[in-house]
Every structure is written in structure tokens, then in C-alpha cells.
């Protein structure tokens, strides 16, 4: 919170651009930006309520990454409706204020290439009144809906005490979960919730590195994927940005939990193939992005690997994906295309020197101000 209080709009754009550069280098072609830093440090509104959304869009334009912008609605400090803490004032806003942010964010998206999308994000069951959460899919009329859910056990206890239902259980009963929804984390679910979420068509937005870093727990991937559940991967805390690392840890956490091997695999496909294809297909749904596979008419979200890397010697087919996700000690990504935009070329981004230099200046200023 101390760090967030110091951020200016220029800082946010600098940090977002560097994060997107890191994502592209790692092999991500698109980002779902769960964005809730809307206001000035004291909570006052900028002249343009969507100033910070425009800065996110500016970072996406500079890097060329595909953007699904998800402005967050954050109204209260808990299920009991208590006010936000002082440190959270930059996030807050009522229904009318959130509507103004969305209107401005729509203008920001309109200025980007045609693959950019706008969605909505009720932060969590604790941060948005339940009456509003029931209508979240109607806030924009279309587009994806993302929210944090069942990340930590304290959250489950609070929601259960307030509603008589566990978080995912309540959402399945009252929110009309379908393919427009992405439930971020969804770490702590019963078997019934896990199978219900899978059957709903919603996507589980998984952040295995973050969930391990925060000690949150292990997502029940074996049961969920076995029930046909969709998933995608990303980063929440940005402790490290690694496409291979997220998928690697997703599998290894299952092995540790179940004391078994090759847990996330289906007949006829290796673990690497199952992870990679599942992640890109689920992410395409969660970001409302016409990608997720190689086919005529789909967005050309592509990644190329260095075939001369030693870990690929002698590998073919699924073995190439397995080697990338489980055996690479260095990043083998050489080229990335986002909706056909060739944004990483021979391991480099055309704007990386400027983006990195600005980010360094931002870090120095923020560190000195701390």
C-alpha cells in the first residue's frame, strides 16, 4: 500500500509497459489487466475518471501486447459493508463512479488495435455488495467478467459466515457463471464446487507462482481439468513473470499434493501439451480473444522458440513442449506475434531500451521517496 500511494499516472504507465515487455519476452501474446488503481493517492478523482485506464492502454500501445482491460469495482472493506481503509481509497467508488471509469476506459480501448477488449471486474465477494455482484454480467452488457475468489481460507470463512455459502458455491447458485466469467485463483474449493465450476464453462484464472509466493494453497487442478474445466495462467503479484514457470509449477504442485507423476495429462498428449493447449484455449475465452489455436481467421498470437537450444536436441512433437516447460534453464523464446504484430524479434523488442530506461528511473524515484 505504501508503494501504491506513491504512484503517479506516469509511474503506472512506466511499470505497466515494463511488465508487458517482460510478458512478451516470456511468450505471452496478450494480457488481462485486472486494473483497480483508478484515483489519486488521496482518493480524489482525476479530471478524466479513466486517466489510469488510459495509461494502461498507452503501455499496451507502446509494447504491442494484446489488451483486455478489466477495470475493477471495489466498494467496501468486507462482507459487512465496512468502509475502505485509507490505503484503499485509490481503488474505491460507487456504482455511478465506476460507470464513469468504464465509459472512459471504453474510449481508451477504442484507440487501440481492433483486438483490444473491455471487460468488468468485481474485485471479490468481499469488496462488492452481493446485490451488485448478482448483476455483474450486465454492467457492460458484454465482455468478460473477472473476480478474485476463494484465494485464502480467511476469505472463505468470512463469506461463509455472511452468506451461509462458500464463495464458489454462492457464485454458482446466484451469479449465473458461464463462459464470460473468469474466477481468479479459486484455490480452495470442495469437490462439488470444483466440478460445478468446471461444468459452468467459466475459466479458472490461475497464478501458481503468486499462489506459492503468498502461501495461498494448491488449486485442485487434477479434479478440475478431469471434469473438463477451462483454465488460463497469469501473474498476480508479479513476483516473477514466466509463462513456462507458471505451467511448470501448476503441474509440480499437483505432483507434490498427490504424490504422483504426470498428473495433468490426457490420453494421447504429454503433460506439456495438455498444459500449453489448455492454457492458451482457456485464456482466449477469459480474455474474449479470438485466439487459442492455429486456424484461418483466428488472431495470430504466436510464439517461436530457439530450436538450436540444447534442451531441444533430439526432441520432436510433444517432447519440444515438455522440454520448454520442464527442462529449459534459459528462456528459449525468440519471437512473439500478438494479433499478427511481430513484437519480439530475435529475442528483442524494438522499444525495449526506452521502456527499460524509463522503468529504471521510476524505480529510483520510488525507492528514494520510500
Amino acid at each position: 500500500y505504501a508503494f501504491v500511494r506513491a504512484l503517479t499516472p506516469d509511474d503506472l504507465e512506466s511499470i505497466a509497459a515494463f511488465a508487458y515487455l517482460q510478458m512478451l519476452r516470456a511468450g505471452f501474446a496478450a494480457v488481462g489487466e485486472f486494473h483497480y488503481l483508478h484515483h489519486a493517492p488521496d482518493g480524489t478523482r482525476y479530471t478524466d475518471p479513466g486517466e489510469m485506464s488510459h495509461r494502461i492502454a498507452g503501455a499496451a500501445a507502446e509494447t504491442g501486447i494484446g489488451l483486455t482491460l478489466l477495470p475493477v469495482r471495489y466498494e467496501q472493506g468486507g462482507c459487512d459493508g465496512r468502509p475502505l481503509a485509507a490505503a484503499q481509497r485509490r481503488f474505491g467508488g460507487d456504482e455511478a463512479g465506476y460507470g464513469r471509469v468504464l465509459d472512459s476506459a471504453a474510449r481508451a480501448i477504442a484507440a487501440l488495435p481492433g483486438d483490444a477488449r473491455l471487460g468488468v471486474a468485481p474485485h471479490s465477494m468481499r469488496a462488492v455488495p452481493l446485490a451488485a455482484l448478482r448483476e455483474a454480467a450486465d454492467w457492460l452488457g458484454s465482455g468478460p467478467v473477472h473476480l478474485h475468489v476463494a484465494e485464502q481460507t480467511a476469505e472463505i470463512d468470512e463469506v461463509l459466515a455472511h452468506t451461509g455459502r462458500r464463495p464458489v458455491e454462492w457464485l454458482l447458485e446466484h451469479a449465473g457463471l458461464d463462459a464470460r466469467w473468469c474466477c481468479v485463483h479459486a484455490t480452495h474449493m470442495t469437490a462439488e464446487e470444483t466440478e460445478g465450476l468446471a461444468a459452468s464453462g467459466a475459466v479458472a484464472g490461475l497464478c501458481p507462482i503468486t499462489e506459492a509466493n503468498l502461501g495461498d494453497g494448491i488449486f485442485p487442478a487434477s479434479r478440475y481439468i478431469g471434469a473438463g474445466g477451462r483454465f488460463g495462467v497469469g501473474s498476480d503479484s508479479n513476483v516473477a513473470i514466466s509463462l513456462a514457470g507458471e505451467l511448470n509449477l501448476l503441474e509440480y504442485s499437483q505432483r507434490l499434493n498427490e504424490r504422483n507423476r504426470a498428473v495433468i495429462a490426457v490420453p494421447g498428449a504429454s503433460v506439456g501439451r495438455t498444459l500449453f493447449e489448455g492454457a492458451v484455449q482457456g485464456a482466449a475465452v477469459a480474455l474474449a480473444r479470438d485466439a487459442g489455436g492455429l486456424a484461418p481467421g483466428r488472431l495470430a498470437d504466436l510464439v517461436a522458440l530457439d530450436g538450436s537450444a540444447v534442451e531441444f536436441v533430439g526432441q520432436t512433437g510433444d517432447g519440444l513442449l515438455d522440454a520448454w516447460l520442464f527442462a529449459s534453464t534459459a528462456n528459449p523464446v525468440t519471437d512473439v506475434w500478438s494479433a499478427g504484430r511481430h513484437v519480439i524479434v530475435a529475442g528483442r523488442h524494438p522499444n525495449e531500451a526506452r521502456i527499460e530506461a524509463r522503468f529504471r528511473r521510476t524505480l529510483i524515484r520510488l525507492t528514494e521517496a520510500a
Side-chain angles (χ1 to χ4, degrees):
Y1 283 135
F3 179 80
V4 167
R5 279 198 296 269
L7 295 182
T8 68
D10 285 345
D11 293 336
L12 179 67
E13 188 166 351
S14 167
I15 292 167
F18 186 72
Y20 298 163
L21 173 62
Q22 287 185 307
M23 291 184 72
L24 291 168
R25 285 171 170 167
F28 289 101
V31 59
E33 181 63 57
F34 196 86
H35 170 59
Y36 52 98
L37 190 62
H38 300 311
H39 313 307
D42 62 357
T44 59
R45 277 47 174 169
Y46 292 108
T47 302
D48 183 339
E51 168 71 20
M52 294 299 225
S53 290
H54 284 265
R55 298 309 187 108
I56 294 293
E62 184 173 23
T63 59
I65 199 168
L67 175 66
T68 295
L69 181 58
L70 303 158
V72 169
R73 184 166 166 181
Y74 201 124
E75 290 188 39
Q76 60 192 31
C79 289
D80 58 2
R82 61 186 179 272
L84 295 177
Q88 298 170 311
R89 288 180 297 189
R90 299 198 76 172
F91 315 152
D94 57 14
E95 180 178 0
Y98 181 69
R100 290 190 288 271
V101 169
L102 278 183
D103 289 343
S104 181
R107 295 194 297 273
I109 288 296
L112 292 175
D115 59 299
R117 295 288 181 267
L118 181 65
V120 297
H123 178 271
S124 60
M125 290 186 65
R126 293 187 291 181
V128 177
L130 296 182
L133 191 54
R134 288 187 176 95
E135 302 170 356
D138 298 324
W139 291 352
L140 197 63
S142 63
V145 183
H146 288 224
L147 83 164
H148 288 162
V149 61
E151 178 181 3
Q152 298 172 339
T153 54
E155 170 200 348
I156 297 199
D157 293 342
E158 182 177 345
V159 171
L160 185 59
H162 186 70
T163 68
R165 295 287 187 273
R166 296 168 57 86
V168 174
E169 182 183 23
W170 188 93
L171 289 167
L172 288 168
E173 291 180 5
H174 298 287
L177 295 188
D178 58 20
R180 287 182 58 192
W181 289 77
C182 178
C183 294
V184 182
H185 302 302
T187 304
H188 300 286
M189 296 189 290
T190 64
E192 291 76 16
E193 287 176 303
T194 302
E195 293 170 2
L197 184 63
S200 74
V203 178
L206 308 179
C207 309
I209 293 175
T210 296
E211 289 145 9
N213 177 255
L214 298 179
D216 286 341
I218 298 172
F219 177 79
S222 179
R223 181 182 293 273
Y224 179 77
I225 295 172
R230 291 168 164 158
F231 71 95
V233 295
S235 175
D236 185 358
S237 71
N238 293 338
V239 65
I241 293 179
S242 171
L243 174 57
E246 298 290 355
L247 294 175
N248 175 304
L249 187 55
L250 177 57
E251 166 67 20
Y252 280 165
S253 63
Q254 306 306 306
R255 296 186 187 189
L256 290 168
N257 194 46
E258 299 188 16
R259 288 173 287 179
N260 203 350
R261 301 177 187 177
V263 176
I264 300 176
V266 297
S270 72
V271 174
R273 171 70 62 184
T274 306
L275 286 168
F276 187 79
E277 290 190 345
V280 297
Q281 291 166 7
V285 173
L287 301 186
R289 189 170 178 82
D290 189 15
L294 301 177
R298 291 276 187 95
L299 293 176
D301 287 353
L302 309 173
V303 59
L305 306 178
D306 178 7
S308 68
V310 67
E311 54 264 39
F312 296 137
V313 173
Q315 299 293 339
T316 59
D318 287 9
L320 293 166
L321 284 171
D322 291 336
W324 177 26
L325 300 185
F326 294 99
S328 295
T329 56
N331 181 15
V333 174
T334 61
D335 294 76
V336 174
W337 292 259
S338 176
R341 298 179 292 272
H342 198 175
V343 286
I344 298 294
V345 182
R348 301 186 66 84
H349 189 283
N351 297 331
E352 65 180 42
R354 180 175 70 243
I355 292 170
E356 288 187 2
R358 190 171 70 238
F359 180 68
R360 286 177 181 272
R361 292 194 298 270
T362 299
L363 283 184
I364 290 170
R365 188 191 71 77
L366 292 171
T367 301
E368 290 175 345

